Amino acid sequence: MDRYGPKNLWLLASVIALRLLNIVHICPRGRDVHRPTVASTWPAPAKAICSFACQFTAMLMLFAGLALVLAAMFPDRVPELAALPLVLTASTAILVIFYGLKRRGTLTILPHRAAFPAITLIGVIGLF
């Protein structure tokens, strides 16, 4: 398959979706979720864990996207480069669904409920 074949377009689509989610996570979510949490009366360890979780999620999306870009650029290395980021997005999708249903009884409260499964599916299509 040539360098810009269909497989690579699917992987690049998953990167674009991941980047858009990353922008939403950093910009509006920081203002709506992270800043109020840090300004709250929560104990310092809880605030630190929240900050860590927010920053870790942003970094995960950043480096997963980088690995998927590399997979799209090097078709002979797609399985090695795309497997870990897709496992990470799939496991995040499972966690979002599990915690949404278990803790809230609904998926509507967690904005990532559709994004991570979709990113995973688009990327997996790019593997085959």
Side-chain angles (χ1 to χ4, degrees), residues 92-107 109-110:
T92 304
I94 291 166
L95 287 173
V96 166
I97 292 167
F98 174 78
Y99 279 106
L101 293 175
K102 175 100 170 139
R103 299 261 173 108
R104 305 293 298 178
T106 180
L107 293 178
I109 195 73
L110 297 170

Side-chain angles (χ1 to χ4, degrees), residues 6-86:
K7 178 185 287 194
N8 298 354
L9 294 178
W10 283 103
L11 291 172
L12 290 174
S14 69
V15 171
I16 291 167
L18 199 53
R19 286 292 175 252
L20 290 173
L21 181 60
N22 205 353
I23 290 167
V24 169
H25 174 80
I26 291 170
C27 297
R29 294 283 61 132
R31 183 179 56 249
D32 298 344
V33 178
H34 186 249
R35 288 182 193 160
T37 301
V38 172
S40 74
T41 59
W42 286 12
K47 291 180 188 183
I49 290 169
C50 177
S51 292
F52 169 78
C54 286
Q55 301 311 320
F56 177 76
T57 303
M59 295 300 286
L60 175 133
M61 289 188 281
L62 177 73
F63 288 110
L66 177 61
L68 291 171
V69 165
L70 291 172
M73 291 173 59
F74 299 100
D76 56 324
R77 296 282 189 215
V78 168
E80 298 92 345
L81 291 168
L84 181 59
L86 293 175

